[in-house]
Amino acid sequence: MKRVLLVDDDRRTRRVLQILLERLSLESQAFESAEDALEYLRGEKVELVLTDLKMPRVDGIEFMRRLRELDEEVPIVVLTAYGTVETAVEAMKLGAVDYLAKPFDVDALEILIRRSLELSRYRTENRYLREQVDRPAAFENIVGDSSPMRDVFELISKVAPTRSAVLITGETGTGKELVARAIHKLSPRSEKLFVPLNCTAIPRDLLESELFGHVRGAFSGAHADREGKFQAADGGTLFLDEIGDMEVALQAKLLRVIQEGVVEPVGSNRRILVDVRIVSSTHRDLESETREGGFREDLFYRLNVFRIELPPLRDRREDVPGLAVTFLREFGQEFGKGDLALGERAIALLKGYGWRGNVRELRNLMERAAVLADGDEIPESLVRSLLPGTAEPEPDGNLDLSLAVADVERRTILRALAATNDNKAEAATVLGIGERTLWSKLKKYGL
Ligand SMILES: Nc1ncnc2c1ncn2[C@@H]1O[C@H](COP(=O)(O)OP(=O)(O)OP(=O)(O)O)[C@@H](O)[C@H]1O
Ligand SMILES: [Mg+2]
């Protein structure tokens, strides 16, 4: 029977929780004070801890701090009537997996308890997931603990509170939109709208009216007045996705609106004051396009006040496991397959792959894996069959045997390095070659 420890200074809450835990066939150990609970935990292991935050003498936060010295892993769920965002964030930093506001909903609590208990089942995953906890709530859905992603998080926190324009660059699928949303969520504008506009998806002549709105009769088909995205985003954030695709004539108009903070709907000479923060994104190299005249330099400087560059996934392979596990859980739940797990070998395989489509490609792959999954754990063979180029050499018409062999060799070495965290000696062992041979091959392939 799994054992759950609960701490709450209120006798009635303890009673209710104990009844609930019993109903879930769980053994409960209830304590009135954090001191008593810690005393117990010094000698015993439990599978889950439920704690109140506001308690006399030692409060919930201090309790968690001391608990973490005894047990780094046990999932903690915080129950509190004083669940302000700050204390919740602080609790999350100390490794709380979740929190619930009192008076709590019994069903919600039950789900939460079940979910938290599952956490200790998958120890590998637990480790990866916990790395995600140490950050503000708006980062919650951005997974990544690599040093380039830490830098990104820091930049987001710095720029979010300001009104500065932000340009987010990076290859396709690196998470540009996710970052744009996080900036909005962490900004003082978060109560107002985040309005995304994809400059590629909209036919050129419609883009202007999308941006600034139009009045009735402005052009054929304009049957009524229509508000543009600028007005919709008033007080909030306008996200200009793929800004590099906007045609130059429209760029001039956009520049004027940004400079003056005033929009003129198409077909009218009304001037509407707007207060909009601009976040834009592009996968193109706008600097060089400015030099070649494809993008207005003055607009570029307006948009590029603050730059966030998202690194490709292949440059932050240590993020692959956390992302894979997160997506797998998400799709596992969605498809009613419960919590799906990935074994270490499958993870190593994923880490060694090229990810030209970056996080999006990984996400799609995990979705397919979840669809095809039979049991609780995705077998390595399934992952292998889903990864292009790892099952068989690519049929690219190349019949030069030495080239094909070299290609397989290079990829295998990359995978071995990824699987051993770049430890050359271990990688050589895994590959079944000597370390010196490995070094010479690394040199040969420029790795
Ligand atoms: N760090 C991350 N953590 C979790 N999910 C991520 C992360 N980065 C990207 N994703 C997910 O990957 C997908 C692609 O991300 P997003 O749409 O933000 O990429 P993008 O850079 O805007 O790509 P594109 O240039 O193709 O528009 C989304 O489903 C997003 O939720
Ligand atoms: Mg995008």
Side-chain angles (χ1 to χ4, degrees), residues 173 175-178 198 239 241-242 281 360:
K176 296 187 288 295
E177 175 149 4
L178 220 51
N198 188 323
F239 176 48
D241 202 1
E242 293 309 341
S281 92
R360 180 179 293 113

mmCIF file of all heavy atoms in Angstrom, residues 173 175-178 198 239 241-242 281 360, ligand 2:
data_model
loop_
_atom_site.group_PDB
_atom_site.id
_atom_site.type_symbol
_atom_site.label_atom_id
_atom_site.label_comp_id
_atom_site.label_asym_id
_atom_site.label_seq_id
_atom_site.Cartn_x
_atom_site.Cartn_y
_atom_site.Cartn_z
ATOM 1 N N GLY A 173 10.138 25.846 -35.964
ATOM 2 C CA GLY A 173 9.860 24.859 -34.929
ATOM 3 C C GLY A 173 10.681 24.979 -33.668
ATOM 4 O O GLY A 173 10.671 24.092 -32.824
ATOM 5 N N GLY A 175 10.219 27.237 -31.327
ATOM 6 C CA GLY A 175 9.420 27.721 -30.200
ATOM 7 C C GLY A 175 9.250 29.228 -30.156
ATOM 8 O O GLY A 175 9.009 29.798 -29.090
ATOM 9 N N LYS A 176 9.326 29.887 -31.312
ATOM 10 C CA LYS A 176 9.257 31.344 -31.323
ATOM 11 C C LYS A 176 7.911 31.847 -30.799
ATOM 12 O O LYS A 176 7.855 32.797 -30.023
ATOM 13 C CB LYS A 176 9.516 31.859 -32.746
ATOM 14 C CG LYS A 176 10.925 31.526 -33.247
ATOM 15 C CD LYS A 176 11.235 32.176 -34.573
ATOM 16 C CE LYS A 176 10.487 31.562 -35.745
ATOM 17 N NZ LYS A 176 10.871 30.158 -36.015
ATOM 18 N N GLU A 177 6.850 31.188 -31.230
ATOM 19 C CA GLU A 177 5.531 31.651 -30.790
ATOM 20 C C GLU A 177 5.345 31.428 -29.289
ATOM 21 O O GLU A 177 4.756 32.252 -28.582
ATOM 22 C CB GLU A 177 4.435 30.932 -31.576
ATOM 23 C CG GLU A 177 3.053 31.294 -31.059
ATOM 24 C CD GLU A 177 1.966 31.268 -32.124
ATOM 25 O OE1 GLU A 177 2.265 30.898 -33.276
ATOM 26 O OE2 GLU A 177 0.823 31.619 -31.780
ATOM 27 N N LEU A 178 5.872 30.324 -28.821
ATOM 28 C CA LEU A 178 5.774 30.014 -27.399
ATOM 29 C C LEU A 178 6.459 31.102 -26.564
ATOM 30 O O LEU A 178 5.939 31.544 -25.535
ATOM 31 C CB LEU A 178 6.476 28.670 -27.169
ATOM 32 C CG LEU A 178 5.874 27.672 -26.214
ATOM 33 C CD1 LEU A 178 4.419 27.435 -26.533
ATOM 34 C CD2 LEU A 178 6.650 26.367 -26.274
ATOM 35 N N ASN A 198 -0.259 36.054 -38.458
ATOM 36 C CA ASN A 198 0.748 35.429 -39.301
ATOM 37 C C ASN A 198 0.818 36.147 -40.636
ATOM 38 O O ASN A 198 -0.105 36.102 -41.428
ATOM 39 C CB ASN A 198 0.406 33.955 -39.507
ATOM 40 C CG ASN A 198 1.520 33.233 -40.220
ATOM 41 O OD1 ASN A 198 2.173 33.785 -41.111
ATOM 42 N ND2 ASN A 198 1.758 32.007 -39.835
ATOM 43 N N PHE A 239 1.507 40.123 -31.906
ATOM 44 C CA PHE A 239 2.596 39.244 -32.324
ATOM 45 C C PHE A 239 2.598 39.132 -33.838
ATOM 46 O O PHE A 239 1.706 38.535 -34.435
ATOM 47 C CB PHE A 239 2.423 37.866 -31.684
ATOM 48 C CG PHE A 239 3.443 36.860 -32.140
ATOM 49 C CD1 PHE A 239 4.796 37.167 -32.171
ATOM 50 C CD2 PHE A 239 3.052 35.584 -32.540
ATOM 51 C CE1 PHE A 239 5.738 36.235 -32.591
ATOM 52 C CE2 PHE A 239 3.984 34.644 -32.962
ATOM 53 C CZ PHE A 239 5.338 34.979 -32.992
ATOM 54 N N ASP A 241 3.929 37.428 -36.634
ATOM 55 C CA ASP A 241 4.637 36.186 -36.932
ATOM 56 C C ASP A 241 5.121 36.230 -38.376
ATOM 57 O O ASP A 241 4.394 36.665 -39.255
ATOM 58 C CB ASP A 241 3.646 35.029 -36.725
ATOM 59 C CG ASP A 241 4.350 33.721 -36.475
ATOM 60 O OD1 ASP A 241 5.592 33.708 -36.444
ATOM 61 O OD2 ASP A 241 3.643 32.706 -36.310
ATOM 62 N N GLU A 242 6.333 35.782 -38.601
ATOM 63 C CA GLU A 242 6.938 35.786 -39.937
ATOM 64 C C GLU A 242 6.903 37.177 -40.568
ATOM 65 O O GLU A 242 6.468 37.364 -41.701
ATOM 66 C CB GLU A 242 6.255 34.762 -40.845
ATOM 67 C CG GLU A 242 6.493 33.324 -40.413
ATOM 68 C CD GLU A 242 7.970 32.978 -40.188
ATOM 69 O OE1 GLU A 242 8.868 33.724 -40.697
ATOM 70 O OE2 GLU A 242 8.246 31.993 -39.484
ATOM 71 N N SER A 281 8.471 37.894 -35.111
ATOM 72 C CA SER A 281 9.336 36.724 -35.253
ATOM 73 C C SER A 281 9.651 36.483 -36.716
ATOM 74 O O SER A 281 8.909 36.923 -37.604
ATOM 75 C CB SER A 281 8.659 35.487 -34.681
ATOM 76 O OG SER A 281 7.948 34.820 -35.695
ATOM 77 N N ARG A 360 9.235 21.121 -33.066
ATOM 78 C CA ARG A 360 7.982 20.693 -33.682
ATOM 79 C C ARG A 360 8.099 19.261 -34.207
ATOM 80 O O ARG A 360 7.193 18.448 -34.052
ATOM 81 C CB ARG A 360 7.567 21.633 -34.805
ATOM 82 C CG ARG A 360 6.244 21.184 -35.448
ATOM 83 C CD ARG A 360 5.756 22.077 -36.567
ATOM 84 N NE ARG A 360 5.368 23.381 -36.094
ATOM 85 C CZ ARG A 360 6.000 24.490 -36.403
ATOM 86 N NH1 ARG A 360 7.072 24.433 -37.179
ATOM 87 N NH2 ARG A 360 5.585 25.641 -35.941
HETATM 88 MG MG MG B 2 5.673 30.201 -35.508
#
